[in-house]
């Protein structure tokens, strides 16, 4: 028998005869017991107010302990979008023949949640079905399943883990299906993947034409258990696949750490780039404080134009509010400063307007980038030009390029020999540094021509570049493909030592750069830093 509703987490509904549970204002969910021989369990979401659009997330759970996802039923998750005039929607959860749910009447639970309605929202519905091993017929059981929605990015993420059930192959066979409606019992599309247990040996390039033997285990341990994740795009645009299989996160090694709520400690010296990242009015000065010692980093900084590129916009595909709508809008002030004895003390970020200190509200760190937020929503970012960082992930990361450039630029990665960006003994700023970096990019087969890159307003992803995850990399841009007009992610290499690429650290597992393709020092640049947005992250393989 299913447990009482109040024994489950809020918003979790057990399937049982005549069970009706409110889970948000004006929202109810009915749960029905499957009849003998029924291949599914039915839930129904109802609402009292049908005058407006509304979004609901749902996912099956193992909270009642009476069934096992993967062995007794397929794991179902997704997002329902109610349109005006719609009052109820059904969700069917497919049962697995011979499983416990099938034998005992289909008792299982569904977690439902009202989520913010997203403009341009599109429904997504997925099923996870771990396949039995050929030698023993055992179906792996899914555990640690979670489903989260990110309204700002118009996406959702489904995480899981499962035993491989095969000590020799150490692989998980998984069927991932999509259906057009939560009420469809039969999926409209399916893909089988074979994910192997973690093995850090070698540097693996993910094949684009096969979903077999993928090194996409997330837990970084050889333990006969595979962890994985799906990303669901909830945008109605056609630039992204609807469902993608995510590789393990590319976690940058931190050259800075947070101590307590607001203090930071640097582990290596090197110039700091400072950028005022908000679009507020007035002039603000930023610095670092350590005891009685202080260091001014950016004086009388102005905010960016309203709507200019920032970390949130860089990952937002909304044509008006996201990165595509930031064209021609200048970002805030920037500077590059050398700080004596940077690695010694504990530092606290500071900000002041007209000599009056602003209260520090929040400090966050992404790899070697620090973001600080002060009263009045004044925000600043500090970082060291350290390139990408080594990782144990046994595969090349994915490179994504977004374009708002008028020029037909070329973009390349090049490995560097240290945090300062040294290449073959040349430092950024040396006369021939950019040409030496370009030669290395070509030799490493990491230079992408304009023909490889996306068209205006579009995005392209590259999953099979020969990137060595044990090295650090810088980024080059060749303006209109001109080999004599080159900009680097290491500012000292650029004209007048100006920053041509700003860090958009939008999450801990992704390095994001916004690139300006006209020399900032020339006075002709619009300083919007969105001509290309380059992201380096864990692999994402489009399924359908």
């Amino acid at each position: 028998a299913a447990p009482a509703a109040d024994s489950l987490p809020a918003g979790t509904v057990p399937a049982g005869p005549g069970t009706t549970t409110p889970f948000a204002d004006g929202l109810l969910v009915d749960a029905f017991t499957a009849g003998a021989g029924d291949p599914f369990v039915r839930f129904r979401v109802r609402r009292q107010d049908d005058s407006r659009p509304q979004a609901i997330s749902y996912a099956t759970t193992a909270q009642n302990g009476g069934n096992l996802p993967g062995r007794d039923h397929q794991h179902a998750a997704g997002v329902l979008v109610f349109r005006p005039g719609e009052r109820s929607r059904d969700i069917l959860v497919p049962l697995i023949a011979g499983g416990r749910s099938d034998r005992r009447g289909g008792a299982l639970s569904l977690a439902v949640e009202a989520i913010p309605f997203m403009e341009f929202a599109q429904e997504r519905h997925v099923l996870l079905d771990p396949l039995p091993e050929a030698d023993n017929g055992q179906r792996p059981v899914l555990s640690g399943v979670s489903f989260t929605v990110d309204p700002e990015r118009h996406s959702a993420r489904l995480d899981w883990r499962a035993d491989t059930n095969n000590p020799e192959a150490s692989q998980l066979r998984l069927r991932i299906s999509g259906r057009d409606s939560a009420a469809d019992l039969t999926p409209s599309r399916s893909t089988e993947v074979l994910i192997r247990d973690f093995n850090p040996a070698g540097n693996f390039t993910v094949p684009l034409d096969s979903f077999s033997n993928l090194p996409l285990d997330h837990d970084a341990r050889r333990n006969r258990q595979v962890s994985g994740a799906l990303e669901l795009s909830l945008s109605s645009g056609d630039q992204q696949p609807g469902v993608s299989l995510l590789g393990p996160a590319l976690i940058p090694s931190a050259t800075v750490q947070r101590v307590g709520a607001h203090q930071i400690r640097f582990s290596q010296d090197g110039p700091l780039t400072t950028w005022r990242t908000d679009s507020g009015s007035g002039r603000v000065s930023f610095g670092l404080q350590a005891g009685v010692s202080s260091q001014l980093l950016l004086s009388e900084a102005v905010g960016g134009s309203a709507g200019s590129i920032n970390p949130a916009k860089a990952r937002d595909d909304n044509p008006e509010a996201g990165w595509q709508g930031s064209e021609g809008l200048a970002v805030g002030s920037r500077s590059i400063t050398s700080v004596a004895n940077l690695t010694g003390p504990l530092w606290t970020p500071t900000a002041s307007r007209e000599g009056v200190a602003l209260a520090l509200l929040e400090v966050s760190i992404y790899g070697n980038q620090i973001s600080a937020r002060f009263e009045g929503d004044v925000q600043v970012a500090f970082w060291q030009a350290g390139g990408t960082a080594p990782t144990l992930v046994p595969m090349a990361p994915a490179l994504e390029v977004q374009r708002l450039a008028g020029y037909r630029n070329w973009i390349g990665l090049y490995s560097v020999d240290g945090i300062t960006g040294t290449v073959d003994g040349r430092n950024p700023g040396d006369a021939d540094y950019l040409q030496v970096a370009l030669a290395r990019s070509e030799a490493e087969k990491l230079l992408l021509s304009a023909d490889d890159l996306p068209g205006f307003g579009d995005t392209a992803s590259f999953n099979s570049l020969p990137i060595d995850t044990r090295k650090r990399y810088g980024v080059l841009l060749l303006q209109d493909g001109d080999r004599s007009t080159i900009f680097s992610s290491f500012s000292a290499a650029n004209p007048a030592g100006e920053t041509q690429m700003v860090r958009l650290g939008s999450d801990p597992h992704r390095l994001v750069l916004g690139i300006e393709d006209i020399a900032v020092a020339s006075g002709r640049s619009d300083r919007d830093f969105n001509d290309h947005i380059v992201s380096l992250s864990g692999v994402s393989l489009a399924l359908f």
Side-chain angles (χ1 to χ4, degrees):
D6 59 7
S7 69
L8 297 172
T12 304
V13 184
T19 301
T20 296
T21 305
F23 65 95
D25 186 25
L27 291 167
L28 304 166
V29 59
D30 303 317
F32 305 91
T33 298
D38 283 350
F40 59 84
V41 170
R42 182 189 303 274
F43 296 86
R44 177 169 295 156
V45 179
R46 294 184 286 126
R47 63 179 188 155
Q48 297 171 355
D49 179 6
D50 65 356
S51 64
R52 59 189 174 89
Q54 198 164 20
I56 308 295
S57 71
Y58 69 89
T60 53
T61 80
Q63 292 291 338
N64 64 19
N67 63 88
L68 297 173
R71 185 165 296 175
D72 301 321
H73 66 87
Q74 296 185 43
H75 180 73
V79 172
L80 288 171
V81 178
F82 283 91
R83 300 300 176 185
E86 289 185 315
R87 304 207 70 170
S88 69
R89 298 286 302 275
D90 281 2
I91 300 169
L92 302 186
V93 179
L95 300 177
I96 295 172
R100 183 184 304 170
S101 298
D102 185 31
R103 297 192 302 270
R104 295 178 56 188
L108 58 90
S109 300
L110 188 78
V112 288
E113 181 181 358
I115 60 176
F117 179 77
M118 296 159 279
E119 193 176 2
F120 310 110
Q122 181 168 324
E123 292 194 3
R124 298 291 180 196
H125 308 281
V126 294
L127 300 170
L128 294 185
D129 186 14
L131 300 177
E133 295 295 342
D135 58 346
N136 58 23
Q138 287 285 335
R139 282 182 171 269
V141 175
L142 296 175
S143 61
V145 183
S146 67
F147 185 64
T148 55
V149 176
D150 185 345
E152 290 188 0
R153 291 189 58 199
H154 287 197
S155 67
R157 179 175 170 128
L158 176 60
D159 291 85
W160 78 87
R161 62 177 179 267
D163 291 335
T164 63
N165 280 346
N166 188 331
E168 295 182 1
S170 294
Q171 294 172 324
L172 173 67
R173 293 178 62 221
L174 184 67
R175 180 185 293 118
I176 302 169
S177 303
R179 46 186 183 169
D180 297 329
S181 168
D184 292 339
L185 189 60
T186 303
S188 57
R189 59 199 76 86
S190 293
T191 301
E192 287 189 17
V193 297
L194 190 62
I195 305 175
R196 74 185 192 199
D197 194 12
F198 178 78
N199 184 349
N203 196 48
F204 192 96
T205 299
V206 175
L208 293 178
D209 58 351
S210 173
F211 290 108
S212 297
N213 193 32
L214 296 173
L216 301 184
D217 184 9
H218 286 211
D219 68 7
R221 291 178 294 171
R222 301 189 72 174
N223 56 358
R224 290 187 53 210
Q225 190 175 79
V226 168
S227 297
L230 295 180
E231 184 173 64
L232 283 62
S233 171
L234 306 179
S235 171
S236 60
D238 58 0
Q239 294 184 3
Q240 297 182 4
V243 179
S244 299
L245 181 64
L246 300 180
L250 180 70
I251 303 175
S253 62
T255 60
V256 61
Q257 68 179 113
R258 190 176 66 183
V259 179
H262 293 154
Q263 290 186 303
I264 53 180
R265 174 180 282 123
F266 294 91
S267 62
Q268 50 196 14
D269 290 316
L272 282 179
T273 296
T274 306
W275 169 34
R276 181 175 174 183
T277 56
D278 66 274
S279 300
S281 59
R283 295 177 177 268
V284 179
S285 296
F286 299 96
L288 294 173
Q289 183 82 30
V292 297
S293 299
S294 62
Q295 173 68 56
L296 180 65
L297 297 176
L298 185 56
S299 179
E300 297 294 300
V302 297
S305 302
S308 60
I309 196 71
N310 59 36
K313 285 181 177 293
R315 307 306 306 166
D316 186 350
D317 288 323
N318 184 317
E320 296 177 359
W323 62 276
Q324 297 175 66
S326 63
E327 176 61 19
L329 302 176
V331 304
S333 300
R334 302 156 316 286
S335 70
I336 304 171
T337 312
S338 294
V339 181
N341 302 316
L342 184 63
T343 59
L346 289 175
W347 298 96
T348 301
T350 63
S352 62
R353 179 186 283 122
E354 297 180 353
V356 179
L358 302 179
L360 178 58
L361 303 179
E362 182 182 13
V363 173
S364 56
I365 294 176
Y366 306 119
N368 62 348
Q369 176 170 314
I370 307 110
S371 296
R373 183 170 62 88
F374 299 85
E375 64 175 299
D377 206 30
V378 171
Q379 300 180 47
V380 68
F382 317 93
W383 70 88
Q384 291 179 311
T388 62
T391 175
L392 289 176
V393 175
M395 77 203 64
L399 181 73
E400 180 182 272
V401 181
Q402 300 154 259
R403 177 187 168 191
L404 286 178
Y407 288 126
R408 286 177 50 80
N409 300 316
W410 292 29
I411 292 176
L413 301 180
Y414 64 103
S415 64
V416 297
D417 303 329
I419 188 173
T420 61
T422 305
V423 179
D424 294 338
R426 277 82 159 183
N427 293 307
D430 289 350
D432 61 346
Y433 174 83
L434 290 171
Q435 293 301 322
V436 172
L438 175 59
R440 179 171 286 189
S441 178
E442 289 185 292
E444 294 174 332
K445 301 186 185 306
L446 293 175
L447 183 63
L448 301 172
S449 73
D451 291 337
D452 300 318
L453 297 176
F456 184 87
D458 288 339
T459 301
S461 298
F462 305 89
N463 284 324
S464 294
L465 295 176
I467 299 170
D468 189 335
T469 59
R470 294 161 293 190
K471 295 181 179 180
R472 294 180 182 271
Y473 287 88
V475 179
L476 294 175
L477 179 136
L478 281 62
Q479 186 191 78
D480 218 21
D482 185 350
R483 302 174 72 90
S484 64
T485 306
I486 306 175
F487 303 123
S488 170
S489 55
F490 291 90
S491 300
N494 301 324
E498 281 279 6
T499 299
Q500 295 289 149
M501 306 183 189
V502 296
R503 290 283 300 274
L504 301 170
S506 51
D507 64 55
H509 308 312
R510 178 183 286 110
L511 170 68
V512 185
L513 290 177
I515 303 179
E516 175 58 41
D517 68 356
I518 297 177
V520 172
S522 70
R524 297 186 297 109
S525 167
D526 59 10
R527 304 189 181 200
D528 57 9
F529 287 85
N530 67 357
D531 297 311
H532 290 285
I533 299 172
V534 176
S535 307
L536 197 66
S537 62
V539 167
S540 174
L541 297 180
L543 298 180
F544 40 77

